Each structure stands twice: as C-alpha cells, then as structure tokens.
Amino acid sequence: MTLQLQPRLITLEGGEGAGKSTVLAQLRETLEAAGEMVVCTREPGGTPLAEQIRDLLLAPGHEPPTPETELLLMFAGRAQHVRGTILPALAAGSWVISDRFTDASYAYQGAARGGDRDFIAELEQRVVGIVPGLTLLLDVPVETGLQRVRGRGTADRIESEAHGFFDTVRRAYLARAAAEHSRFRVIDASRPATVVAGEAVAHLLAYRDALR
C-alpha cells in the first residue's frame, strides 16, 4: 500500500517547548487572510474520541501505558483523526494544519521508546494511509524547550520524561528531516517567537506558490 500525498496537509513537528502553537496560529491567520479555508487540529486528539485517547495517554493520573500500548493508542487516535477530521476537511477544499502527525510516532514511540520502526511504518501504511505535503520542524535545544515547558506550569506525562529521552527525540526528528528533505523545512525555534513564526509563514507561502 502506498501512502497518499496530501498537498494541503501541513504538519508542525518538534520537541517540547518548540512553540508550535504560536506558529500554527500565525499560519492559520496568513492562509485565512489570503481567502483560504483552514482547519487547525492536533495530535494526539483532533476528534472527540481521539481527545479521550489523548487524556489516557498524557494525563499523569492514569496508569502508565507500556511502550506498546502507547504506540497503539497513538495510532488508534490518529486513525480516528484522519477519517473524522483531516480527510473530510481536505475533501471540502480546506488546508489542514496539524500540531504533530505520524512523524511524532517515529521520534517518540520509535526512537525514544525503542519501538520497532518497521512496525510503525506498517501502521502508517495500514492505519493512516496519508502523508503531509509540507512538514515544518521547529528545532530547539532540549534544555531551552524544557525551560519553556517548566515556565508554563504543570507538565503532562510525556513532558515529564528525562532530558535524554528528549535528546533522542530531537536527533530522530533531525534524521527524518535529512532523509526527507523535500517535505521537511527545519526552523531554528530557539529564536524569538515572532522570528520563528515569520520564517514558518515564508516557507508556507513559498510552498503554496509552488503548488500553483
């Protein structure tokens, strides 16, 4: 089974504290100002059922899932997200901007948790079936990102992992970006939020223009 490219699906990736929410809001504003329809969403989550799965995965009070359980729950939520939100929005002609998508599972459940990459790839093929046209990777040093998370207050279960966990996540993201350089744009997210968002918007507009 071949993954279906979805040119109007834009994903934001990066470690904790990379500033994805700020960038997402700016991308949405830019597209809407140009008269485009935009749906913004997130993972885990994106539909009512997938948001319940998000709570199971991230809320510190729940029984900690095993790595295998975490991986399967992530893809269960993603399957619901793709069919309940992403594909209908794309079919209606909207752009879809998602805060995380399948690349996150390769970085978190694959590299950092030690999951089987081939199994993740099989799940991507069989359960997800689509790949974004553009992925913006907001790259930030681990300590910088964790300082930002601590500044927000309470951390969720994954945000509470050790420094080494996030270092592995970062390396995995950068490796994926190097391997799929035509899809990824790597942005230095250690800079001020306005600068980061401005570069993200420039990448998006250049990408949109190239589609025409």
Side-chain angles (χ1 to χ4, degrees), residues 84-170:
T85 297
I86 294 177
L87 289 180
L90 293 171
S94 294
W95 288 80
V96 176
I97 308 173
S98 183
D99 180 344
R100 299 198 192 282
F101 198 56
T102 311
D103 292 301
S105 283
Y106 284 98
Y108 282 81
Q109 288 77 52
R113 296 281 190 224
D116 185 334
R117 189 188 182 286
D118 290 338
F119 182 48
I120 294 173
E122 183 175 357
L123 287 171
E124 181 181 22
Q125 292 275 348
R126 293 178 175 273
V127 175
V128 181
I130 61 174
V131 64
L134 175 67
T135 297
L136 301 176
L137 174 58
L138 305 184
D139 179 53
V140 65
V142 172
E143 188 54 41
T144 301
L146 293 181
Q147 286 176 356
R148 293 173 179 174
V149 170
R150 289 192 287 267
R152 296 200 302 254
T154 305
D156 65 35
R157 184 182 64 83
I158 291 181
E159 289 172 340
S160 301
E161 290 286 349
H163 189 289
F165 177 91
F166 297 113
D167 188 57
T168 302
V169 166
R170 185 187 185 197

